[in-house]
Amino acid sequence: MTLTVHTISGAPRGWRILLALTFKGLDYDIRYLQASAQEQRSAEFLALNPRGKVPVLAVGGDIVLRESLAILTWLERQYPEKPIFGETPEEATRIWQSTSESCHYLRDAIHDVLSVVFNSDGSVPADGSHEMTALSEAAASLHAECHALEDLLGDQAFLAGERPSAADAVAFPEIRLIQRGIEIRQALMSAIGFANLPFSYPKLAAWMDRIAAVPGFEKPFPRIGKPSPPHDKTRKAKNDLNPLSPPSAWRSPLTSHTDLRRTGVFSYRAGNDRPAARS
């Protein structure tokens, strides 16, 4: 039974599915749509999902699934080995609670900050200006969510225990967006307290390293493209957030987030921060 994921490179909700498949050790194919060509609005794709959103999971030629959480649930029922929603009621509850919080509170906080950052030219608004006040308030909410994830991790390897789960598949692409913001809008992100993510949030940094070490992680990592100019500032939908650049961009020339934390240095590599549609 062939599993084919239809998505846009870097789209966080599509990345959820790719990570879940990776965590389960399943073979799958990826069909990347070109957002710049509006392929998600083509007749061919609309036949799969009339809403024109990614991801879509096609199973052989008979089953077509849409909506990321629904796809995660199907994968768990169809392939129960290496469960991503836990084995006990308590574990399942922890995973669903973290997943729900990431889908709402974390994602909203990231959107409120990065829709401004990604749609800017990177300059820092004047202190006391309406723009800087609003951005700082949004950043405070995002810092609170990052602190909550640090507390949730505690001494455990992943968000819900010692193995990766749906909670990690949902949260990782969102946190990766923050790193992307630092890479392409360093001065602006620094002004709101995100100069160095591993230094500020060491447990999140170590967690990102552990996910990056999962066998097969490289396959779904967003592909590289050329940098694009700042977005039209009127485009602030959540669909505009797209974390692109390879592990080499945030792990090298240093070897890990620990090295980044120790030196306080981030490397920048060109990527494609074009908007992505997703569901």
Side-chain angles (χ1 to χ4, degrees):
M1 185 162 51
T2 302
L3 303 176
T4 303
V5 180
H6 299 253
T7 188
I8 292 170
S9 184
R13 294 187 183 182
W15 205 358
R16 295 174 183 179
I17 307 308
L18 300 176
L19 285 173
L21 289 163
T22 300
F23 294 164
K24 283 182 168 291
L26 297 172
D27 291 330
Y28 61 93
D29 297 327
I30 308 173
R31 192 206 168 216
Y32 285 117
L33 305 175
Q34 296 297 319
S36 59
Q38 291 289 295
E39 286 187 346
Q40 73 274 19
R41 298 294 182 183
S42 67
E44 178 185 3
F45 186 73
L46 290 175
L48 299 176
N49 186 356
R51 294 186 183 275
K53 302 290 187 180
V54 299
V56 164
L57 177 65
V59 184
D62 301 320
I63 302 173
V64 177
L65 307 170
R66 60 179 185 267
E67 297 296 325
S68 61
L69 295 182
I71 295 171
L72 292 177
T73 303
W74 183 88
L75 287 172
E76 185 76 335
R77 292 296 185 93
Q78 183 69 28
Y79 302 100
E81 300 81 10
K82 297 184 179 180
I84 58 172
F85 283 105
E87 295 180 320
T88 67
E90 293 77 17
E91 190 178 7
T93 298
R94 289 198 304 272
I95 292 169
W96 271 111
Q97 179 174 286
S98 177
T99 297
S100 179
E101 290 178 340
S102 291
C103 285
H104 300 289
Y105 307 115
L106 176 61
R107 185 164 172 78
D108 286 350
I110 286 177
H111 169 256
D112 289 346
V113 171
L114 295 185
S115 61
V116 176
V117 171
F118 287 170
N119 286 297
S120 77
D121 61 5
S123 59
V124 179
D127 287 341
S129 66
H130 172 74
E131 291 81 3
M132 192 61 188
T133 299
L135 184 57
S136 296
E137 290 175 354
S141 295
L142 182 51
H143 279 294
E145 293 303 319
C146 289
H147 283 298
L149 288 175
E150 286 263 304
D151 292 342
L152 183 61
L153 280 165
D155 295 326
Q156 61 192 17
F158 299 97
L159 290 176
E162 297 308 310
R163 60 188 179 194
S165 70
D168 303 284
V170 169
F172 182 89
E174 306 297 339
I175 294 298
R176 186 62 188 83
L177 278 168
I178 301 174
Q179 177 61 40
R180 180 60 179 156
I182 293 170
E183 291 167 359
I184 66 172
R185 303 285 189 267
Q186 188 173 27
L188 184 53
M189 292 293 284
S190 179
I192 56 175
F194 286 101
N196 187 321
L197 188 63
F199 181 80
S200 300
Y201 299 103
K203 292 180 181 179
L204 279 178
W207 167 73
M208 292 173 74
D209 274 334
R210 286 190 286 272
I211 290 180
V214 173
F217 173 83
E218 294 285 342
K219 178 177 178 178
F221 203 91
R223 300 178 301 174
I224 293 302
K226 296 180 180 180
S228 60
H231 302 317
D232 179 342
K233 293 185 179 181
T234 63
R235 301 193 63 183
K236 295 184 179 180
K238 293 180 185 178
N239 287 358
D240 288 343
L241 306 184
N242 189 347
L244 291 181
S245 70
S248 60
W250 44 275
R251 293 173 63 88
S252 72
L254 309 169
T255 59
S256 70
H257 286 296
T258 301
D259 295 324
L260 290 170
R261 185 164 61 250
R262 181 168 56 246
T263 63
V265 173
F266 282 95
S267 64
Y268 169 78
R269 300 290 175 85
N272 179 359
D273 54 319
R274 290 181 177 176
R278 56 205 182 265
S279 64

